[in-house]
Amino acid sequence: PPDQRPLLIAHRYGNKLQLIDEATQAGADVIEIDVWFHRGQLEVGHDKTLGPIPLRWDRWSLALGRNRPLTLPEVLSRFPQHVEPMLDLKGTDPRLPTALRALLAQHFTGRPYMVSSQNWDALEHFLDDPNARVVRSAGSTQALHLLQDQFADWPGAGGGLNHKLIAPGEIEALRHHTNLVLTWTVNNLPLAHQLTASGVTGIISDNLEVIRAIRAQHPDQPTSE
C-alpha cells in the first residue's frame, strides 16, 4: 500500500560493532548478523574458518585469524531497543541452534528477533519461539520452488530470496502465504521501489544511502510487513 514502506534491513552491518551504530543512525529497522558456532561459542562474521587452522576466508579474501573473534553477546549488547537483529545462521554445525536459543534466553529475553538461514533444518528450532520471526532463505531457483511448495508446513514463517530469482507473479504468490517477504541484495533506489511495488515487504541492502533515502521518503509511515 502507498502509505507503507518496506522493512529496511542493513546487510551484514551487525558483524562489526561500529557498523551497528552507522546502520542505526541511517534508519535501519533490522541489522543482519552472520552467526557461526566455532570453538564452542557463537562467533560473528561473514568469513569462514578452517577449523583449528588460524585462517579465515571469504569468496574474495584470506586473512589470519589470530585476533580474538567478535562474539554474539558482545554484538547483542550494542543493539538499541528499537532495532531488531536478524541472525543469519551459517555453517552446518548441529550445535548452533541450541546454543543460540540458550544465549537469547540469557541475554535477549523477551526481545523480538529474526532468524534466517539457507540451512532450513536449523530454523525448525525457532518455530515455537514467540519472539522469533523465522525466515527461510532461498538462494537458488530450486530452493525457491521448495519454499513455495512448503509454506503450508511452516505456518507463520517468512521467506527471503535473491532478487535475481524473482519472476512476474512470484511475489504475489508468496504473499498469499506470508506477510514477510524479504529480498537481497538491493543496493539502488530504483530497484528498491520496483521490488516494493511488486509486493516485497522488506529489502536487505549493503547501501545505507538506500536506507536513508527510503526513510526520508516515508519518515513516519509504518512498515508493510
Side-chain angles (χ1 to χ4, degrees):
D3 62 339
Q4 296 178 332
R5 63 169 175 81
L7 196 67
L8 302 174
I9 304 169
H11 188 220
R12 301 182 186 172
Y13 274 76
N15 292 344
K16 294 184 179 179
L17 295 179
Q18 65 271 25
L19 296 183
I20 295 173
D21 298 336
E22 292 181 21
T24 299
Q25 292 166 9
D29 302 296
V30 179
I31 300 176
E32 188 206 37
I33 310 167
D34 293 313
V35 183
W36 303 78
F37 189 86
H38 186 230
R39 292 178 292 202
Q41 64 181 353
L42 293 166
E43 298 182 0
V44 168
H46 195 264
D47 293 346
K48 304 167 185 66
T49 65
L50 293 176
I53 302 173
L55 290 174
R56 304 184 74 89
W57 65 279
D58 201 348
R59 184 176 300 177
W60 309 114
S61 66
L62 180 67
L64 287 173
R66 296 187 183 278
N67 293 334
R68 186 182 69 81
L70 189 62
T71 65
L72 187 56
E74 293 175 280
V75 172
L76 292 180
S77 68
R78 191 70 168 255
F79 265 70
Q81 286 286 333
H82 67 283
V83 177
E84 185 175 348
M86 181 177 184
L87 304 162
D88 194 34
L89 308 187
K90 300 296 187 181
T92 57
D93 194 310
R95 296 170 292 181
L96 193 160
T98 302
L100 181 55
R101 282 292 299 263
L103 184 145
L104 291 170
Q106 181 179 2
H107 294 278
F108 218 66
T109 305
R111 291 183 60 179
Y113 64 94
M114 280 190 197
V115 59
S116 64
S117 184
Q118 295 190 48
N119 175 16
W120 297 353
D121 289 342
L123 296 177
E124 292 187 8
H125 294 259
F126 300 88
L127 291 174
D128 66 339
D129 187 349
N131 295 311
R133 297 202 278 182
V134 177
V135 179
R136 289 182 296 170
S137 295
S140 67
T141 301
Q142 181 181 9
L144 177 58
H145 291 162
L146 285 174
L147 182 67
Q148 294 166 332
D149 292 340
Q150 296 178 10
F151 258 114
D153 301 327
W154 289 66
L161 60 153
N162 189 319
H163 75 83
K164 295 177 182 178
L165 301 177
I166 297 175
E170 285 186 343
I171 299 303
E172 182 180 357
L174 290 176
R175 288 293 304 272
H176 284 299
H177 300 282
T178 179
N179 287 327
L180 188 61
V181 180
L182 313 179
T183 186
W184 78 85
T185 306
V186 184
N187 288 334
N188 65 77
L189 204 54
L191 179 59
H193 290 321
Q194 174 187 336
L195 292 168
T196 303
S198 74
V200 166
T201 60
I203 62 165
I204 303 172
S205 182
D206 296 324
N207 188 350
L208 293 185
E209 292 305 317
V210 170
I211 290 175
R212 287 191 186 95
I214 295 175
R215 271 288 191 180
Q217 291 168 350
H218 308 277
D220 300 315
Q221 293 173 354
T223 61
S224 57
E225 51 77 41

